[in-house]
Amino acid sequence: GYIWIGSSFILAHTASTPTSGAVSNTFSRKPIILLSQAIFFFTSLLCALAPNIHSLIIGRAWQGVGASGIGMIVNVIIYDSFSLRDRGLYLAVTSGVWALGISFLSSLSKKRESNKPTVPIGLLVFLTILFFLPLSSPPKTPTMTGLKALDWSGSLLTIGSALMILLALDFGNVVLAWSSLTVINLIVFGVLSLLLFFINEWKLAPNPIFPARLFPNLSTIAAYGVFSFDSFVFIGLAYYLPLYSQSVLGANALTSGVHLVPLIVSCSLSAAFTGVAIQKTGRYLPVMYAAQVFLMIGVGLFVSLDFEERDNLGKLFGYEILAGVGVGLNIKGPILAAQAAASELDTAAVIAAMGFARSMATAVSVVVGGVIFQNGMDGRNGGLVEKLGEDIAGWFRGGEAAGSIERIGLHVEEEQMVVRAAYFESLRLVWIMVGLSLGIDVAFAGLATVLTLLVRGQRLSQEHKEVVLGVERSRGTQAQPGVELESVPEGRPGERNVVEIRQMNLRVSDE
């Protein structure tokens, strides 16, 4: 049941992300963020008071639904409220708050109290939004009319496909073998449902969740790719560094959370710096190029860690900072690149698409990393049997290794070093996966770098345009699909932005 505490949150968060954007377009942002905050508040209370693991798993799943709506709608409100160029500055504030929250909660890692701070904070946030968030009046859309206008077929297909694929990844080699019919069927039908979802969005749905116009050219598609692969790299480090700290360095749960702070804080602060820099200069491409340099160097250096120098925390923290800066510098750029190529009507759809891509990349990174780690421990189990015996080595086989860390300290120093060395070498394979200079690095961090070169610069407009919400939002003002966007160099004074150019082309075609 332990694995489902985290998996239930990821499953619910990923599956509900696309629908949140569509619902907020119909019924306005404030009601949806209040609903999401209320869900998160009550489920945090459930998690804090959960009498058993089953209640905790249910609470975590509903926490994922609430967190999905909160995280997405916060960004959407910022995008609705400010011009394309100014958005990065205010997103920087959210990055700073995130850094403070992560740093605080890391000190409560693995403790019973870790869910309790979210309860009073959640209540305070709900009341603040309710009384002090000045948003425009919600559209006068009757409830039934709004519900009928939602893309229910697309919602069901995306939820179903996400759940089936993620469940298959969760079950594989943990609950069931990869070759089992259950896992194979989940993957096959999950992929088929995903294909049906894209066909539905492209040809059938009158109000699609992800309109085809969100992906007008290779540059925009590359922006989504960069964001996804960078998320894959970041979560691979953030998820497995605590395991490294506890199994290789011998740290306890609390200290392993502290060891993660350099990665989290450097990522958040560099993201905040990026927001300010983009707001001042109107340029995001130079920052994206610099980000990939830091990312490749930072995560690439993890493979150079030496087991004999494992106590050299300066190296570990330095590599974390380099990787964190690389990821942080590239959080805002891809989103702004996608937004610059879309109309104001598609703000929520772009954020939802980015969020969905990030969630899927996160889940795949965790699962693939786990499979690689388990295979690495299985491959070294023969050596452990020779040195420690069958009984002791059995606790450190692939499927048991992650849950047997506390048993390492039960043995004498010489035996501990043998086991810690096996963990070290297995986790080295994970570092390779998430973006190092060997093997799968070329496919992930390397691919993100290549995709960055395909992203074109667009001028970030300083003009703020009011968002249109409700069922009638798509009439008359919606950008027509299939209109080719004309790119202009970033930041040149006097040049029109991409949305203005699209509107000129539409007027000419109408005439």
Side-chain angles (χ1 to χ4, degrees):
Y2 176 78
I3 189 174
W4 286 104
I5 296 175
S7 297
S8 59
F9 182 94
I10 295 175
L11 285 167
H13 188 283
T14 303
S16 59
T17 294
T19 306
S20 299
V23 174
S24 73
N25 280 337
T26 302
F27 296 107
S28 185
R29 318 301 192 205
K30 191 169 182 176
I32 304 306
I33 195 173
L34 285 172
L35 176 62
S36 300
Q37 188 64 47
I39 293 173
F40 189 80
F41 169 76
F42 286 111
T43 52
S44 295
L45 186 62
L46 172 62
C47 290
L49 303 176
N52 52 57
I53 193 170
H54 301 293
S55 300
L56 181 59
I57 291 172
I58 294 173
R60 287 288 290 165
W62 280 102
Q63 260 191 331
V65 175
S68 172
I70 293 169
M72 200 203 73
I73 301 300
V74 165
N75 286 336
V76 172
I77 290 173
I78 291 175
Y79 277 63
D80 288 345
S81 304
F82 303 99
S83 68
L84 192 58
R85 180 162 171 173
D86 291 335
R87 291 168 186 171
L89 177 63
Y90 295 94
L91 290 173
V93 176
T94 64
S95 297
V97 173
W98 182 63
L100 291 174
I102 290 294
S103 300
F104 170 68
L105 290 176
S106 66
S107 64
L108 299 175
S109 177
K110 303 294 184 181
K111 291 186 177 182
R112 177 182 174 85
E113 292 80 8
S114 59
N115 274 302
K116 292 183 179 178
T118 61
V119 177
I121 294 174
L123 179 59
L124 177 62
V125 171
F126 180 89
L127 295 175
T128 302
I129 294 173
L130 180 63
F131 293 110
F132 299 105
L133 182 63
L135 294 181
S136 56
S137 300
K140 296 180 180 179
T141 301
T143 302
M144 292 305 301
T145 302
L147 291 175
K148 290 178 181 179
L150 293 176
D151 181 13
W152 289 105
S153 58
S155 298
L156 293 175
L157 286 170
T158 187
I159 291 173
S161 62
L163 288 177
M164 284 188 282
I165 293 173
L166 294 179
L167 281 173
L169 294 177
D170 275 335
F171 287 161
N173 210 36
V174 177
V175 179
L176 300 168
W178 286 109
S179 58
S180 69
L181 288 178
T182 300
V183 173
I184 293 174
N185 284 333
L186 284 172
I187 292 175
V188 170
F189 286 101
V191 171
L192 288 177
S193 298
L194 192 61
L195 292 176
L196 289 175
F197 167 73
F198 287 125
I199 294 173
N200 178 78
E201 301 302 282
W202 182 31
K203 292 292 187 181
L204 303 177
N207 298 298
I209 297 174
F210 297 150
R213 61 181 178 273
L214 295 185
F215 316 99
N217 50 47
L218 182 60
S219 172
T220 305
I221 296 173
Y224 286 95
V226 170
F227 193 72
S228 299
F229 285 115
D230 281 1
S231 298
F232 183 102
V233 171
F234 176 74
I235 200 64
L237 292 176
Y239 192 87
Y240 289 102
L241 272 172
L243 178 61
Y244 177 88
S245 295
Q246 294 180 51
S247 63
V248 177
L249 304 182
N252 58 31
L254 176 61
T255 305
S256 68
V258 175
H259 286 176
L260 193 60
V261 168
L263 176 70
I264 301 297
V265 173
S266 62
C267 175
S268 303
L269 294 181
S270 61
F273 165 79
T274 301
V276 176
I278 291 176
Q279 195 272 338
K280 295 294 184 183
T281 66
R283 294 174 176 270
Y284 55 85
L285 273 184
V287 178
M288 292 180 67
Y289 295 149
Q292 292 308 129
V293 172
F294 277 101
L295 183 62
M296 292 292 289
I297 293 175
V299 296
L301 287 172
F302 270 86
V303 80
S304 70
L305 290 170
D306 189 348
F307 181 71
E308 300 300 326
E309 298 180 359
R310 61 190 179 280
D311 293 328
N312 188 345
L313 294 180
K315 273 189 176 182
L316 178 64
F317 293 164
Y319 300 163
E320 287 186 44
I321 290 172
L322 286 172
V325 169
V327 174
L329 290 177
N330 232 0
I331 290 178
K332 305 295 187 298
I335 299 178
L336 291 175
Q339 276 288 330
S343 72
E344 296 297 320
L345 292 175
D346 293 326
T347 294
V350 171
I351 300 298
M354 284 287 187
F356 184 70
R358 177 178 57 193
S359 297
M360 291 297 291
T362 295
V364 172
S365 179
V366 170
V367 173
V368 173
V371 170
I372 290 176
F373 169 73
Q374 290 178 14
N375 289 340
M377 292 300 293
D378 280 334
R380 288 161 180 79
N381 195 255
L384 295 179
V385 170
E386 292 179 5
K387 297 178 180 179
L388 306 177
E390 181 70 32
D391 291 339
I392 296 177
W395 288 105
F396 304 108
R397 290 192 182 97
E400 305 292 334
S404 301
I405 297 174
E406 294 182 355
R407 291 182 173 271
I408 300 175
L410 302 178
H411 303 285
V412 299
E413 184 69 18
E414 183 179 351
E415 293 177 343
Q416 286 186 33
M417 291 303 101
V418 173
V419 177
R420 294 190 194 282
Y423 277 88
F424 178 86
E425 294 299 331
S426 299
L427 286 168
R428 185 197 293 269
L429 299 177
V430 178
W431 308 150
I432 291 173
M433 178 205 72
V434 297
L436 305 180
S437 57
L438 302 173
I440 306 178
D441 161 61
V442 177
F444 289 100
L447 182 55
T449 301
V450 173
L451 290 174
T452 299
L453 299 176
L454 300 177
V455 178
R456 294 184 297 175
Q458 308 285 359
R459 177 177 175 266
L460 299 182
S461 172
Q462 292 180 295
E463 178 186 357
H464 172 230
K465 296 175 180 160
E466 292 294 332
V467 66
V468 180
L469 301 174
V471 173
E472 303 295 326
R473 65 192 298 273
S474 61
R475 297 186 181 179
T477 56
Q478 181 171 310
Q480 297 179 8
V483 179
E484 185 174 353
L485 305 183
E486 298 181 24
S487 175
V488 299
E490 288 185 278
R492 291 184 183 176
E495 291 184 323
R496 296 178 173 88
N497 65 25
V498 68
V499 177
E500 294 170 335
I501 292 174
R502 182 198 287 115
Q503 291 171 342
M504 289 178 59
N505 290 340
L506 290 175
R507 286 197 295 269
V508 171
S509 63
D510 290 340
E511 293 173 359

